[in-house]
Amino acid sequence: MIIENARCESMDLTGYGIIKHNGKDFHIANLLPGELAKVDVFDHGYGKVIKILESSKDRVKAPCPIYSECGGCHLQHLEYSSQISLKTNYVKSSFESQGLSTSTLLPCIGMKDPYHYRNKVQMVFSEKGKRILSGFYEENTHRVINVDNCHIQDEVANKIISTCKELFLKHKIKPYMEDRGTGLVRHVLVKRSKATEEVLVVIVTIEEMFPGRNNFVTDLRKLHPEITTIVQNINGRKTSVVLGDFERIIFGKGVITDVLMNKKFVISSKSFYQVNARQTEILYKKAIELAKPTETDVVLDAYSGIGTIGILMSEYVKKVISVEINPISVKNAIQNARINNIKNVRFYHEDAAQFIKNLVSDNIAIDIVLVDPPRAGLEPSFIDAMLELRPKKMVYISCDPTTLARDIKLLTAVQYEIKRIQPVDMFAQTFHVESITLLSLR
Ligand code: SAH
């Protein structure tokens, strides 16, 4: 249904503009509070802009030419300092909706340069007539939108993907077409460290046979001498998961190294690593500063991934115990401790909730608990065990304000109080926001 003159009243927490029509709210992408627009709205409560009639002073021209088509970013049309306010407000509203105090909430820490920050770039390939496309799937479809220069991805990685496209054409290497079941290359994944400038390229193919591989790799290395390692990953499954189980290293070591707060971290194709290294450093520094660790503290780092926070924390404390459920990450974490010559961190491969329960039954005292769970937040059983463990302080790093506030409500019901809430922008141009919450035992 077309609405000719819709006035945007406010913004929802994910950056959509809200308009009211016949008593109903509609959420419109790419529309800012105060703006007047002609819009097309749908029954499910969402809609799109057809034409902006009066624009807001906070509107900026999105640098990406396919911004509204792609859907990967949500806020390029909003001036960056307003993006930051939106994110602070996202955290504030989530806490308030649980009846929690936000008197200790600080403004979100923004980026110096909010573009080209993603150190991990992953693009799908497809064929259109004689052209090869590389980009992302359009939201909720399997149609590939061609993206030549993604504005939030690492610029070197963008160029490598473009070169791959040209070389696939030159060497007659066909993209895999899901609907027809033809072709070879599914994805190209690039990871790059700004600190060491090392580059990992992963070519994901449907099967192991890769005709033209040697010529392709020779050309790719000639055109991009900055590439330090190339891996072929084989994923023959019908799945939206990018990487398959089997890999072979074609060139180099198969891994790259990044540096955070003067410590080295080895990154492989599959290991979880924060996508915005510069802001990660700020996030971890803040988390450590808030925890105020001392030499006698024993720290539990739960959901530890490849061991980053625990390893960075280790030099300030007596001992760190890290627990993580993914065995590959635990292996990477052990390797990371070794290359940094760190001796006071122990890594355990276990479910975090079960692990805490065991600490309680074994009467092991913990001074500080650091958690950094996935979007779903903490399991109720983890929270119950935490309340029995009773550490002096807890630092909760979260990438989802909604599940964070839900968990903080349970943790602060009796024993803990909120000492600080600090959002950090790790995902500029999108509505996502990371935050650190410090709790202390009452
Ligand atoms: N702290 C790390 C990783 C955070 S991502 C960093 O900043 O890099 C969240 C991690 O939680 C992932 O590594 C995931 O494998 C792990 N995880 C998920 N469920 C878990 C569980 N039940 N127990 C322990 N770890 C879990």
Side-chain angles (χ1 to χ4, degrees), residues 135-368:
F136 308 114
Y137 288 123
E138 187 183 18
E139 248 180 332
N140 309 321
T141 74
H142 267 196
R143 194 174 78 88
V144 175
I145 298 182
N146 190 62
V147 182
D148 283 318
N149 173 23
C150 172
H151 284 68
I152 60 169
Q153 294 184 164
D154 183 274
E155 286 176 288
V156 175
N158 277 340
K159 287 187 184 130
I160 291 172
I161 302 264
S162 291
T163 304
C164 285
K165 206 153 60 168
E166 286 163 24
L167 293 179
F168 289 152
L169 269 181
K170 178 178 167 192
H171 296 291
K172 302 197 170 51
I173 297 163
K174 298 264 187 197
Y176 172 65
M177 300 298 287
E178 211 176 24
D179 46 349
R180 295 179 231 150
T182 60
L184 179 71
V185 176
R186 298 180 81 148
H187 292 88
V188 173
L189 164 69
V190 181
K191 293 189 179 184
R192 176 169 182 264
S193 158
K194 278 199 170 64
T196 63
E197 298 191 342
E198 291 178 5
V199 181
L200 161 72
V201 177
V202 184
I203 315 285
V204 185
T205 57
I206 189 83
E207 59 184 15
E208 197 176 349
M209 277 269 288
F210 187 164
R213 191 182 75 190
N214 291 350
N215 291 339
F216 166 79
V217 168
T218 306
D219 278 0
L220 185 62
R221 287 183 53 201
K222 217 181 279 165
L223 293 165
H224 292 280
E226 69 276 16
I227 295 175
T228 46
T229 185
I230 304 177
V231 168
Q232 180 187 355
N233 176 286
I234 294 114
N235 187 358
R237 286 173 300 177
K238 269 204 171 0
T239 164
S240 55
V241 177
V242 173
L243 296 175
D245 294 334
F246 181 74
E247 299 200 326
R248 69 158 61 180
I249 298 172
I250 304 178
F251 158 66
K253 291 185 289 188
V255 293
I256 56 168
T257 307
D258 194 25
V259 179
L260 289 174
M261 295 168 69
N262 300 320
K263 299 252 178 335
K264 291 186 212 150
F265 294 96
V266 172
I267 302 161
S268 64
S269 66
K270 287 184 193 162
S271 50
F272 174 87
Y273 193 65
Q274 297 284 359
V275 296
N276 185 339
R278 199 163 293 160
Q279 291 298 95
T280 299
E281 214 166 47
I282 292 175
L283 180 84
Y284 291 168
K285 271 188 191 153
K286 267 282 164 227
I288 294 171
E289 184 190 309
L290 289 174
K292 278 210 189 79
T294 66
E295 281 170 4
T296 55
D297 283 336
V298 177
V299 176
L300 172 67
D301 171 19
Y303 307 86
S304 54
I306 61 165
T308 39
I309 311 176
I311 287 173
L312 296 175
M313 188 81 151
S314 65
E315 67 180 272
Y316 305 98
V317 300
K318 184 171 163 207
K319 188 167 133 191
V320 179
I321 302 171
S322 290
V323 60
E324 161 63 46
I325 207 160
N326 177 338
I328 299 174
S329 295
V330 176
K331 226 173 111 190
N332 291 155
I334 292 168
Q335 190 185 6
N336 285 331
R338 194 179 307 128
I339 60 173
N340 289 295
N341 200 19
I342 283 169
K343 305 250 163 46
N344 61 340
V345 187
R346 285 290 295 274
F347 299 94
Y348 294 86
H349 169 216
E350 204 174 328
D351 168 65
Q354 187 55 47
F355 189 77
I356 291 211
K357 273 186 222 156
N358 296 346
L359 290 180
V360 173
S361 52
D362 294 348
N363 265 325
I364 294 179
I366 300 287
D367 301 290
I368 303 172

